[in-house]
Amino acid sequence: MPRKTLMTLAIATVIAVGGAAFAQPKVVSYPGLGMEPGTVNGTLTLSLADSPPTFMYYGQIDNNTQTLTGVVFDSLVEFNLETYAIEPALAASWDVSADGTVYTFHLREGVKWHDGTPFTSADVVFTYTQIITNPEARAGDAAQFIYTVDGEQRAVTFAAPDDHTVVITLPAPSAAFLLQQRFPMMPKHKLLAYSVEGGAAQADINNAWSTDTPLSEVVGTGPYKYDSYVAGQKVGLVRNADYWKVDANGTSLPYAERLDYLVVRGNEAQAAQFLAGNLDTLNISGAQFPDFKSREVAGADFRVITSPALFGSPPHVAFNFDDPTFGPWFSDVAFRRAMEQAIDRDRIIDDVYNGLAEIPGTPTAPADGTFYEDTKSLMLPFDLAAAGAALDALGIKDTDGNGVRNVPGGKDLEFSLTYNVDSGTFTDMATIFQNDFAKIGVKANLVGVSGSALLGTGLAGDYQAIIIALGNQPDPELRKPIWQPGGSLYYWHRATQPAEPGGAPNFDAMATWERRVYDIFDQGTTLVDRDARVALYKEWQRLNAVNVPVIMVAKPANIAAVHDRVGNYVYNLGVIPGYNPVPLYYVK
Amino acid sequence: MFAYLIRRVAIMVPTILLVSVVCFVVIQAAPGSFTDRYLEDPRMGPEAVARINVQLGLDKPLYQQYLRWITGIVTKGDFGFSFFANRPVSTVIGERLFWTVVIAGITMLFSWVVAVPLGIITALRRNGFTDAVSSFIGYVGLAVPDFLIALLLIALVLQTGGTQVGGLFSPKYIGVPWSWEKFLDFLNHMWIPILAIGTTGVASVMRQMRANLLDVLNADYVRTARAKGLAERRVINRHAVRTAINPLVSMLGLSLPELINGTIIASIVLNLPTIGPLLYDSLLAKDQYVAMTLLLLASVLLMVGNLLADVALAWVDPRIRYD
């Protein structure tokens, strides 16, 4: 290396260390997760399922863009990796007014963007007012910041009294507000030109930072900086030596000097790349588990790690309440309770997930220490005889002797069961259901649709029965559009949805228990008292267990394979904002 | 010849327009919409999705969407906007063009360089041992899909402790300037796609070459050439093979669209950064202008390939004249 370069490097290091000294570090330590202090060195190679469509988090909803954003940008608050509690991140602390409507965030001092520009309250206000609440930003969240108070729409306001303070004022208290502030913060000095404040149109923000942008323009405050991008092949990142997190020994994070994301499409290709040693960690499925585990046992240089999942999507079976043919039965609790007994959860867990799943909540994840209500005793176990008897009691019997039960009026109980054909897990599940249903004289015809069309099929009501998996979040408020009757994703009973988008839901279509669930979610949004909220949401889970809006099937565990050279591994979904263990991984 | 060319190109214009309509209709006929992807996200209400529909022009009647796209192409060379990547379609396709052409070029070259001589040899030694073995391999190559060969090769590499299980380079060579080591690493990766994708091509070209040559070898003028006392080598190379290769020229022209849609599955399995997976993704996501542009491009390549083949035929075969 030429002398001059060495000199420059030395100076840069001094400046970097000096800069870090002024920062207000956050000490990160998780002995409970088995973490130990690591050393700064090496390259970590992780996988991306596809090229990112853009580097602009708010410009597109995409897992790969989200995964990259997680290591390049920070948010005001973040999850504790062990307890899922909300902790300080870019906001070093905050105060909440007694009435729960004014949040004052005190920003961490000395934080810099990757280009050296100081991070200030102006960036935070810019991110909120110009991007997150911009209704044209494709991955913004404008609706979250408009509250309906006494029938009137009122907006959240943002102010920056000084460089390190941000005041956010809500029109009404909001219980999950802090939890939602895991939005990646964006640099005003780089994005002003794409904002309304900078003279652009609202939709222009989506066009910022397309993947042909010079990477020096794409700066965050996060543990890694963009270094190189080769379309369809690799995203290269380098360690941010100025990062504001340190470990228990005072070593600044992240540990790995370089972080490479290899673009590898498809499970098989990813598995091959991992086994060949080109990837350091890989999230795998229950179906892949036996192969990986047997290799581990045979002495391969990696280990397979499983843990209960909070995030991640438990599958359910839904019957279309509004089906023109069978709607009257599908919307009947007794019918759904009968069919619940034809769902062999234990077999699905054993055969489809190789035992790496558990009986799900209804629908909160059992790993959720705060909101989960154990409703196992309320859920009906697999019992085909009981299922058949329950159908008999409803008058659904085989009256014409063709082996298929007939609903009153004579029609065969024969319906379509729609599932995601791209997923082996769902295909297996659908086949098991079809077989078990047939044993009680219920004929299900399998209809496979591509994974990307599955939810659309559900939302359009273009199915009779369907298998869908929707994700869990650490607070039921974040899943309100799914579980509140009349919500935009309450797809199994579309009659409850508002006639006009944004209008009042159709209360007339709701059953009594659905109305109660509706009210629970309404109250849960504004109720600040935590215990009272928890009690409300537990009531909702019990209501779900006995009224089975959908039949929850299983909650898959987290499974990952990790090479022995990687230390401090904690399962990482990649796409959850504010949950990012990558800076703690180290190369041995 | 010139008049013929003008006529052919003139016919292509309405054909391309018609194809563009068909592409558009086919894509619109598929269920779902690009904005479906937004619906599951907790951040997106139906109003927000409606706004994105307006932003993308998806609220307009279908014929208007089509006219806007086709007018852009004709007047400005603008192939529309990728909904997914938030940038012009031409740049999205452009960044994958290089490797697509390189990989398709190398695999095609491989299959031709192997197949043509094999075809000649098997024709000359008809029903011999070489013929039997090559024909057997040829049939297997034709019958086994390229992605399966790719998977088997990957399994083989893994079994033998190799690391080149897909992609074009080892991770450390991606994005660094070319060097001798990088080139070797590239070759170490490329043999898998060459074998996997190329083998299928070998089989069909070889069978074609063999059949053509067998026909020609029985022709009168070959007998005449032999009767004149020409050396056998000269008879084969100058008289027989030159004629027998003509149909292959047409075949070559017709294989041009394979640049785009020939190797989708193999490219996905082998993790190659080519246009095939892009077409697959854009069709699934209903990123309509990307999908339409690629389908249109494939049909244009087919027509151009055909035209080039016809022109090349006239050039290599003195019997063909277009005046």
Side-chain angles (χ1 to χ4, degrees):
Chain A
M1 194 180 281
R3 217 192 186 116
K4 206 166 168 186
T5 321
L6 272 177
M7 197 68 177
T8 323
L9 260 180
I11 293 171
T13 315
V14 170
I15 293 173
V17 171
F22 286 108
Q24 192 182 350
K26 173 179 174 178
V27 180
V28 185
S29 163
Y30 290 103
L33 291 174
M35 286 205 184
E36 53 195 17
T39 45
V40 175
N41 77 294
T43 300
L44 270 176
T45 311
L46 310 180
S47 68
L48 269 190
D50 211 335
S51 302
T54 168
F55 292 124
M56 180 58 185
Y57 176 82
Y58 297 102
Q60 188 60 269
I61 292 181
D62 177 77
N63 286 351
N64 306 300
T65 297
Q66 287 168 7
T67 299
L68 293 170
T69 300
V71 292
V72 177
F73 295 85
D74 294 311
S75 42
L76 291 181
V77 299
E78 64 183 6
F79 283 119
N80 178 297
L81 300 182
E82 196 175 356
T83 62
Y84 300 98
I86 287 295
E87 285 188 345
L90 283 178
S93 63
W94 54 85
D95 314 309
V96 188
S97 66
D99 66 350
T101 59
V102 182
Y103 284 75
T104 307
F105 291 95
H106 306 288
L107 303 185
R108 198 171 291 280
E109 310 253 339
V111 175
K112 286 184 189 144
W113 295 101
H114 293 154
D115 62 355
T117 311
F119 161 78
T120 68
S121 55
D123 294 308
V124 178
V125 171
F126 173 82
T127 305
Y128 276 104
T129 60
Q130 302 299 307
I131 307 178
I132 301 171
T133 60
N134 175 347
E136 298 276 338
R138 296 226 200 119
D141 205 348
Q144 200 71 253
F145 294 87
I146 305 286
Y147 288 45
T148 308
V149 183
D150 302 329
E152 192 187 321
Q153 301 224 309
R154 292 171 61 192
V156 175
T157 58
F158 307 88
D162 65 53
D163 270 3
H164 288 95
T165 311
V166 174
V167 179
I168 303 184
T169 310
L170 317 183
S174 166
F177 181 77
L178 208 50
L179 181 66
Q180 283 157 342
Q181 306 321 303
R182 291 172 288 121
F183 297 103
M185 288 297 128
M186 296 286 143
K188 181 175 182 178
H189 66 287
K190 291 290 187 191
L191 293 171
L192 187 62
Y194 296 95
S195 69
V196 174
E197 191 183 330
Q202 279 188 325
D204 289 347
I205 194 69
N206 299 314
N207 304 340
W209 290 349
S210 62
T211 52
D212 47 4
T213 310
L215 291 174
S216 57
E217 287 298 300
V218 190
V219 296
T221 57
Y224 288 96
K225 322 183 210 191
Y226 284 117
D227 180 51
S228 63
Y229 172 62
V230 183
Q233 297 185 59
K234 190 175 93 170
V235 184
L237 302 119
V238 291
R239 181 172 182 271
N240 173 12
D242 269 344
Y243 196 48
W244 45 269
K245 280 183 187 170
V246 296
D247 70 8
N249 288 0
T251 310
S252 77
L253 296 175
Y255 290 125
E257 295 271 16
R258 291 194 57 94
L259 176 60
D260 284 345
Y261 280 96
L262 270 197
V263 177
V264 189
R265 305 167 48 102
N267 287 344
E268 287 79 14
Q270 287 177 356
Q273 291 284 7
F274 177 83
L275 294 174
N278 294 330
L279 293 174
D280 285 321
T281 74
L282 184 68
N283 294 350
I284 61 175
S285 67
Q288 289 170 297
F289 176 80
D291 179 34
F292 278 73
K293 191 68 191 176
S294 62
R295 286 171 194 262
E296 180 194 352
V297 172
D301 59 347
F302 60 81
R303 56 203 190 277
V304 180
I305 293 176
T306 64
S307 60
L310 193 152
F311 302 110
S313 304
H316 65 245
V317 183
F319 288 95
N320 189 349
F321 289 21
D322 306 305
D323 184 64
T325 315
F326 298 118
W329 292 278
F330 289 175
S331 60
D332 183 344
V333 174
F335 176 83
R336 296 192 304 274
R337 287 288 260 180
M339 294 308 290
E340 184 184 11
Q341 296 173 85
I343 299 288
D344 193 348
R345 295 189 176 97
D346 293 329
R347 179 171 173 207
I348 303 283
I349 290 169
D350 286 345
D351 291 0
V352 178
Y353 290 104
N354 284 309
L356 295 166
E358 59 187 325
I359 300 288
T362 53
T364 304
D368 183 335
T370 309
F371 289 101
Y372 172 65
E373 170 79 337
D374 186 346
T375 54
K376 287 194 193 81
S377 59
L378 299 173
M379 294 157 82
L380 296 180
F382 178 65
D383 183 344
L384 287 179
L391 289 176
D392 287 344
L394 282 168
I396 304 177
K397 297 175 182 169
D398 183 12
T399 49
D400 54 8
N402 67 349
V404 178
R405 288 171 186 269
N406 302 81
V407 292
K411 206 162 172 28
D412 275 350
L413 182 57
E414 173 180 359
F415 52 81
S416 62
L417 176 60
T418 304
Y419 70 102
N420 171 6
V421 79
D422 297 335
S423 149
T425 309
F426 282 67
T427 311
D428 292 351
M429 221 182 286
T431 317
I432 291 175
F433 294 156
Q434 184 189 38
N435 279 331
D436 287 337
F437 289 176
K439 287 178 195 157
I440 53 167
V442 174
K443 187 167 181 195
N445 300 313
L446 299 189
V447 176
V449 298
S450 75
S452 60
L454 186 70
L455 187 67
T457 307
L459 292 172
D462 190 15
Y463 70 98
Q464 291 187 296
I466 195 167
I467 307 171
I468 288 188
L470 296 171
N472 288 123
Q473 292 279 340
D475 192 307
E477 167 71 13
L478 301 184
R479 304 268 71 182
K480 187 172 160 182
I482 301 174
W483 299 107
Q484 185 179 40
S488 55
L489 297 179
Y490 198 76
Y491 71 91
W492 49 89
H493 195 183
R494 292 161 73 238
T496 59
Q497 290 174 339
E500 295 285 316
N506 181 5
F507 293 114
D508 294 339
M510 290 182 198
T512 321
W513 63 270
E514 282 181 308
R515 183 59 211 245
R516 176 62 193 148
V517 172
Y518 180 88
D519 290 339
I520 286 174
F521 273 94
D522 241 22
Q523 290 168 33
T525 302
T526 51
L527 200 60
V528 177
D529 181 69
R530 190 174 175 82
D531 293 340
R533 279 190 81 220
V534 170
L536 268 181
Y537 288 125
K538 288 195 165 182
E539 181 193 344
W540 157 62
Q541 292 168 65
R542 289 192 301 271
L543 281 171
N544 268 4
V546 294
N547 293 292
V548 275
V550 298
I551 305 169
M552 300 299 299
V553 179
K555 174 68 180 177
N558 292 328
I559 318 170
V562 185
H563 268 285
D564 291 339
R565 59 179 174 269
V566 179
N568 282 353
Y569 181 79
V570 172
Y571 186 83
N572 179 26
L573 216 46
V575 297
I576 305 287
Y579 192 91
N580 179 27
V582 175
L584 289 158
Y585 298 173
Y586 72 95
V587 181
K588 286 177 184 169
Chain B
M1 185 70 181
F2 187 68
Y4 171 78
L5 277 181
I6 299 278
R7 207 164 59 235
R8 282 288 294 266
V9 172
I11 294 171
M12 274 165 71
V13 174
T15 318
I16 290 172
L17 276 178
L18 194 68
V19 167
S20 73
V21 174
V22 172
C23 294
F24 186 79
V25 170
V26 165
I27 284 167
Q28 296 302 331
S33 148
F34 175 75
T35 46
D36 283 351
R37 63 170 51 245
Y38 295 109
L39 291 169
E40 195 196 356
D41 197 278
R43 292 173 287 183
M44 284 283 154
E47 314 86 48
V49 173
R51 230 176 352 249
I52 294 169
N53 274 326
V54 175
Q55 219 181 72
L56 299 176
L58 290 172
D59 59 325
K60 302 251 170 30
L62 289 181
Y63 75 92
Q64 279 188 22
Q65 293 182 33
Y66 172 76
L67 284 179
R68 214 176 75 174
W69 176 64
I70 202 79
T71 320
I73 297 176
V74 175
T75 57
K76 291 179 287 192
D78 171 10
F79 288 86
F81 202 73
S82 164
F83 296 164
F84 191 46
N86 298 341
R87 57 195 173 109
V89 168
S90 49
T91 66
V92 175
I93 296 177
E95 71 185 11
R96 284 174 181 256
L97 211 54
F98 174 74
W99 283 119
T100 307
V101 172
V102 167
I103 292 168
I106 294 180
T107 51
M108 216 181 267
L109 191 72
F110 164 81
S111 35
W112 285 68
V113 165
V114 173
V116 171
L118 261 185
I120 295 173
I121 292 167
T122 52
L124 294 179
R125 308 199 177 145
R126 185 150 61 121
N127 300 333
F129 179 72
T130 328
D131 186 20
V133 171
S134 320
S135 297
F136 177 75
I137 295 173
Y139 281 125
V140 171
L142 259 182
V144 182
D146 52 3
F147 69 88
L148 187 60
I149 300 180
L151 284 174
L152 291 173
L153 288 175
I154 287 177
L156 183 75
V157 169
L158 266 184
Q159 208 52 245
T160 53
T163 60
Q164 68 281 25
V165 290
L168 294 171
F169 303 99
S170 300
K172 64 174 175 177
Y173 290 115
I174 301 173
V176 302
W178 280 97
S179 61
W180 181 239
E181 289 78 22
K182 180 170 172 168
F183 181 67
L184 286 182
D185 185 63
F186 173 66
L187 291 185
N188 195 23
H189 282 76
M190 260 318 273
W191 68 267
I192 299 182
I194 289 178
L195 273 188
I197 303 171
T199 311
T200 318
V202 166
S204 55
V205 174
M206 183 190 93
R207 302 296 308 162
Q208 186 79 37
M209 184 69 213
R210 179 177 180 275
N212 294 343
L213 193 55
L214 283 177
D215 277 350
V216 172
L217 286 175
N218 292 328
D220 291 343
Y221 67 89
V222 172
R223 202 177 323 126
T224 312
R226 284 197 177 119
K228 276 198 303 192
L230 282 181
E232 182 64 14
R233 174 180 291 270
R234 208 174 154 82
V235 172
I236 301 294
N237 289 347
R238 286 288 293 274
H239 296 270
V241 172
R242 243 198 98 179
T243 322
I245 212 159
N246 282 357
L248 291 186
V249 175
S250 323
M251 242 175 110
L252 189 62
L254 291 175
S255 59
L256 216 51
E258 281 176 22
L259 273 179
I260 291 178
N261 52 20
T263 58
I264 296 179
I265 302 176
S267 292
I268 291 174
V269 168
L270 288 169
N271 203 28
L272 302 175
T274 59
I275 280 177
L278 182 67
L279 172 62
Y280 176 78
D281 283 348
S282 59
L283 283 171
L284 279 187
K286 293 211 76 177
D287 193 352
Q288 59 186 28
Y289 297 119
V290 176
M292 273 150 47
T293 304
L294 286 175
L295 291 178
L296 191 64
L297 199 60
S299 35
V300 169
L301 282 177
L302 181 65
M303 284 182 257
V304 169
N306 234 331
L307 180 60
L308 288 180
D310 288 347
V311 171
L313 269 183
W315 178 60
V316 296
D317 189 340
R319 292 170 303 179
I320 299 172
R321 285 290 172 266
Y322 293 124
D323 293 319

